[in-house]
Amino acid sequence: MGSVSLEHYSLMERSQTYFRDLWSTKKKRSVRLFKSKEACKSSRPAILRVYCRKRKHSTALESNAAKRSRVEAVPKEVEQQHSHHDEIMYSDWITKRRITVENRGDKGYEDQSSGRFASKRKRRPEAEHKEDKKWEEEVKLVSKLEATSSRRRRAPENENDTDVTSSRSRSPASQVSDSLLKNGSPDDYPRIKNTSKESKERHAICHQCLKGERITLVICSECEDTMYCLQCIRKWYPQLSEDDVVDKCPFCRENCNCSRCLHLNGLIKTSNKELSSSERRHHLQYLIALMLPFLKKISESQSEEIEIEAKVQGILPSEVDVTSAVSYFDERVFCNHCATSIADLHRSCPKCSYELCLNCCQEIRQGLITERPEIKLQYVDKGYRYMHGDMAPSFSSVSEEPEEEEAKPSANWNPGFNGSITCAPKELGGCGECTLELKRILPRKMMSDLEQKAETLLASSYIISPRGLSCKCSASETDMRRKAASRTRSSDNYLFCPDSLDVLKEEEILHFQEHWAKGEPVIVRNVLDNTPGLSWEPMVMWRALCENADSSTSTSKISQVKAIDCLSNCEVEVNARDFFQGYRKGRSYENFWPEMLKLKDWPPSDKFEDLLPRHCDEFISALPFQEYSDPRTGVLNIAAMLPEGLIKPDLGPKTYIAYGIPDELGRGDSVTKLHCDMSDAVNILTHTSEVILSQEQISAVRDIKQKHKEQNKFEEHGTGIACSQEEEELNMPEILSYENNETGSALWDIFRREDVPKLEEYLRKHFKEFRHAYCCPVTKVYHPIHDQSFYLTVEHKRNLKAEFGIEPWTFVQNLGEAVFIPAGCPHQVRNLKSCTKVAVDFVSPENISECLRLTEEFRQLPKNHKASEDKLEIKKMVIYAIEQALIELETLPEEIKPILQ
């Protein structure tokens, strides 16, 4: 096959002046590194770590006689005894490098090349970009020449040299080397052995982009194998300098984000703390001690239903034989009326298979059962102008849909005189004919056996509850505390805020448990410092997701994302690249009002671990207090103790990517509205990008915000005159607002559990002052917190404290901080910057009562309410967690002495 003639490195020897210029411009990085290396007394100078190709088109591409050259890019040793580093590396590199060149009779080629060198020196500031562009053209030409040949090259077998096309994985330098190895003359060249080192030189490609045509490849001195091109280092590893990559490449640092590495799992050690057998035994005993009271409540409720069934059948309770329901281990059973999960005993219709939970059975017998109405669309899209403050009568006078009537007690669903219950009426989804039969899901006597074993174990165990310990947080330990509220006569204005290194200490878990048992949030700082440092840049994650997508997925689906427009609170479809560009630079409407978009629960799947395995491992490795937060092996995470094969709730991890700006807009802010999760959660801020508004935008925002205030007054009181901000804040109580925080990225408001009744009362009283979909005022409240229709601005928080004397914990989450949110604590979040957060839910034994309370609240919501379904199945978790804990305790070695005496 014909080969392309390239510039020979011998020209460098003939033109030392050129090489000196080349060195001073392209190797400045190496000079700095060499100095640092010498300071560390390294025996290997920096230039040994750079593989650099220089190339030039031949004037005789049509020539049958190919010009071949070989470059030894990595010499062995260089003297390090001179004081001037530039001269040391230049002279020694020239004298010690071996350059072998075949006879070349083309003098015109040399002259042309020398002229090109002089021209390049004059255009050095823009050389790199132009060289890459020209080099791409060269590679295309080489590919065409290779395509005409019948000889096929064999793909490299090296792990780092994956199968790529010749135009990407082969370079002219490597082609010349191949030609030289095959046709080199023993008279003109030393004999060349096919060593692994020379093979790497021939097949040198960037580990990140798999391109072999890059000008400069930086070789890692740690593994002496992996190479990265300068373009990929600057684009995908901005936190690493070129010197850092030479010292230790991203692959050796375990934070490589190339396509192959992003889809590998098991490379990162996710556990940051190994528990001894005694520690694990103590945690399991503590877990059982906190769960046993709830197991007893579940057992008592089932015993009462068995007694009623005994009356229905006219036999003794001990004689009742509850038949097993037709169910499967991987099947979820829900109540047809309240959508609550059924753990064991329930009633079922033999005709239509209508199933009813024990709570609904009790309500029917007490006459408290009600129809659960369906939510109808309440908000009307009044148009773009209305959302931006237009008070035109055609918009402001639009009447809302009439509110549906309150649910009335069902008069047709009454129990029998002996406590029996017939199937639900047809209007409620049943047949209304047959008597419901008592069924079971779990094995007979499983509940009673678990209760007996747990009581026997605890009677022989010595356990200290963290509630009995005294908190060691004091006013002097400000580094462990963060002020989050200004409540008078309150001792919980400061939150526990340890560093990630401190939480690994054995005693800190007890410190955490004390605050956690009180229902207080916990903030852990610098959690990303303990990880390999994988990039959480959204484009890196998006690239990994696209490359891991099924082959059946169309390109259009991958390139589009469904985001939430925070102003209209509606879903919009956006090009992925446009969304991520807005994440970095911001977006705006036609009137310069900032456009806020967010991706919630992304990727839109419960297979985060499968789609982004490296990111999943990295996130778990960053989790503090892994006894609770680890979704896989947390010993105090009840959700992690469900047996294999059983359907588990989707508790994450999930990624939340959203825009944000420091100033509060009042409408269309990038927020997570007030809500209350059924379980505990931990949220880590993994990436931020600051968006700065232009002066034109700042001016427009100021004017439009005034229009919003006038529109609010007009719709509330029939007048468009709005009070000034100074008048509104007059005589308002002090609250922590953190307006215009320069360092923080996300503003959190978390309410105490004991303040929930007053918070709900305030929201029911002032609900018309809030706006939801299409910026319309809220017209109806089903549940003030679970509706997720409210976000309390600074003004609302002041009014709340003035009227009801309550305020939330308010604090700013910084990059790399983990926020623990207890179950039952309503909270809201506003982004001060564009943020990428990753969160995972867990279930701690301290908060089981709150999980059960929230489950009961969800039962009362309308059928199609977003929070009505019991996805957690907390009762099932308690039963299986106690079973698994007892089984594991039997396998642990016996203790020599009691723990924590």
Side-chain angles (χ1 to χ4, degrees), residues 73 81 136 200 226 257 390 535 569 589 624 718 732 737 793 886:
Q81 301 171 353
E136 294 289 342
K200 283 187 290 186
T226 312
N257 57 54
D390 196 308
S535 174
N569 201 45
Y589 295 99
M732 284 288 105
S737 61
T793 62
L886 291 171

Side-chain angles (χ1 to χ4, degrees), residues 437-481:
E437 299 177 352
L438 189 63
K439 298 285 186 178
R440 62 177 173 83
I441 296 177
L442 301 176
R444 190 181 289 107
K445 293 185 178 182
M446 176 180 175
M447 299 285 290
S448 58
D449 290 345
L450 287 177
E451 186 177 346
Q452 182 180 0
K453 288 181 180 180
E455 289 178 340
T456 302
L457 171 73
L458 297 180
S460 61
S461 302
Y462 180 77
I463 301 173
I464 285 183
S465 171
R467 293 177 177 83
L469 300 177
S470 59
C471 178
K472 65 181 181 181
C473 287
S474 64
S476 61
E477 293 179 307
T478 56
D479 59 329
M480 298 282 285
R481 304 172 355 131

Side-chain angles (χ1 to χ4, degrees), residues 273-324:
K273 183 180 178 182
E274 297 294 336
L275 296 177
S276 64
S277 297
S278 60
E279 289 175 323
R280 193 165 187 85
R281 174 179 289 276
H282 176 70
H283 287 319
L284 291 172
Q285 291 171 347
Y286 173 69
L287 182 78
I288 294 174
L290 293 183
M291 289 193 299
L292 182 57
F294 301 101
L295 179 67
K296 290 183 176 180
K297 287 184 180 180
I298 299 173
S299 182
E300 289 173 3
S301 176
Q302 295 194 161
S303 298
E304 292 176 2
E305 195 67 26
I306 290 177
E307 290 178 0
I308 295 175
E309 181 66 19
K311 293 180 181 179
V312 172
Q313 297 185 20
I315 57 178
L316 295 175
S318 58
E319 297 175 349
V320 175
D321 183 17
V322 182
T323 58
S324 176

Side-chain angles (χ1 to χ4, degrees), residues 18 138 213 247 267 385 417 631 705 792 852 873 875:
Y18 158 70
E138 288 182 349
E213 64 270 16
D247 288 337
L267 299 181
R385 293 172 57 194
F417 68 94
K705 286 177 70 174
L792 284 84
L852 290 170
E873 303 183 88
K875 293 182 179 179

